[in-house]
Amino acid sequence: MNSLKLTNNALSNHIAEHITDQIIKGELAPGEKLIEHSYADEFGTSRAPVREAIYLLAIEGLVERIPRKGAIVKDYTKNEIYDLLEIRIMFESMAMERIQRNGVNQEVLHKMSESLQEMKNYTDLHHYTQLNHSFHMCMIEMSKSETIKNMYSRLGLPLFRIQTLSFTTEGNIEKSIKEHEVIIDLLKNKKLEEAAAVLKQHNEDVITSIKRKLDY
């Protein structure tokens, strides 16, 4: 019985990851309904693991349930998008304050440098967004604050979707790479106040870019 439960949980997580990938890549549009029996057929299972997967995605903020309509891909309002981005700025600014207090972790800085090299060789928009998120998570990790890390992680998938929107604007990926290079250089040289300022401006520019796109 326990083995069966573990198998169902693993399958639910696998289905959730598959749906997440579809949402992030734009294969499922905001407002689009998730058809339970289609996923059940695709994965050769009953609807129970599919419902569990949808439940997990609802917790993550990617999916919402509408009475008499079922589960749909969440369509964020402008205010929700701006709130998420501003909360991101708050957490990353707090992380930089902790880094100024505790110092730069060289091992994490090395991971950031590796992420940057991968970012320069990204294969597609989805891939770049993943690498960008990993880069910013390194700064959160460097803060050595489990509270900041846990709270920031909860922004996870919705923030991932929003950042993808930002990178669709021509030139934004190139701008992102250059600014990440500057941040790493400042951290290496222990110019932490300057690094914090560059990071904040970098994140505020994302909001400006998305506002232009949404208001177009």
Side-chain angles (χ1 to χ4, degrees):
M1 187 70 174
N2 286 338
S3 176
L4 179 60
K5 185 175 181 181
L6 286 173
T7 301
N8 285 338
N9 286 341
L11 181 56
S12 296
N13 288 329
H14 183 56
I15 295 170
E17 288 172 4
H18 174 68
I19 297 173
T20 297
D21 200 46
Q22 289 182 308
I23 294 172
I24 297 298
K25 288 182 177 179
E27 295 170 8
L28 287 173
E32 189 167 344
K33 185 176 181 180
L34 301 179
I35 310 300
E36 290 184 5
H37 70 79
S38 296
Y39 289 108
D41 291 344
E42 181 178 353
F43 288 91
T45 184
S46 67
R47 292 194 187 187
V50 178
R51 290 194 187 107
E52 177 65 19
I54 290 172
Y55 171 75
L56 294 173
L57 294 176
I59 293 175
E60 293 285 355
L62 282 184
V63 168
E64 60 182 338
R65 288 189 174 277
I66 305 296
R68 297 183 296 279
K69 187 173 182 180
I72 65 168
V73 178
K74 183 172 175 58
D75 188 5
Y76 299 105
T77 66
K78 289 182 182 180
N79 284 339
E80 286 174 325
I81 289 171
Y82 301 149
D83 284 349
L84 281 166
L85 291 172
E86 287 169 6
I87 291 169
R88 173 203 187 195
I89 290 176
M90 179 184 71
F91 282 136
E92 293 194 6
S93 295
M94 288 174 65
M96 286 302 300
E97 288 174 5
R98 301 303 188 278
I99 293 170
Q100 290 178 59
R101 185 187 307 166
N102 301 321
V104 175
N105 183 301
Q106 294 300 319
E107 185 177 340
V108 178
L109 186 60
H110 180 69
K111 285 169 60 178
M112 290 172 69
S113 297
E114 289 182 335
S115 290
L116 179 61
Q117 289 308 310
E118 288 187 65
M119 290 164 82
K120 292 179 179 179
N121 299 307
Y122 72 95
T123 54
D124 54 43
L125 179 64
H126 179 62
H127 183 214
Y128 185 83
T129 307
Q130 287 178 313
L131 294 171
N132 178 75
H133 188 69
S134 296
F135 182 95
H136 284 261
M137 277 301 302
C138 283
M139 284 185 287
I140 298 298
E141 181 183 343
M142 199 185 289
S143 74
K144 297 181 180 178
S145 169
E146 285 301 314
T147 302
I148 295 174
K149 184 177 178 180
N150 290 337
M151 296 299 290
Y152 190 90
S153 296
R154 292 178 65 180
L155 301 178
L157 294 175
L159 184 58
F160 197 103
R161 269 183 68 188
I162 293 166
Q163 288 177 310
T164 301
L165 178 63
S166 171
F167 293 133
T168 59
T169 299
E170 186 177 352
N172 274 8
I173 288 180
E174 290 75 14
K175 178 177 181 294
S176 170
I177 290 172
K178 288 179 182 177
E179 289 169 354
H180 287 144
E181 285 180 321
V182 171
I183 290 169
I184 286 179
D185 186 59
L186 291 170
L187 289 174
K188 282 180 178 177
N189 290 288
K190 296 183 172 56
K191 298 179 179 180
L192 304 186
E193 287 188 12
E194 291 180 48
V198 171
L199 176 63
K200 185 176 181 182
Q201 187 61 56
H202 170 79
N203 288 336
E204 288 176 348
D205 286 348
V206 172
I207 297 179
T208 301
S209 174
I210 288 179
K211 281 184 175 178
R212 286 177 183 155
K213 183 172 285 290
L214 295 179
D215 293 338
Y216 178 72

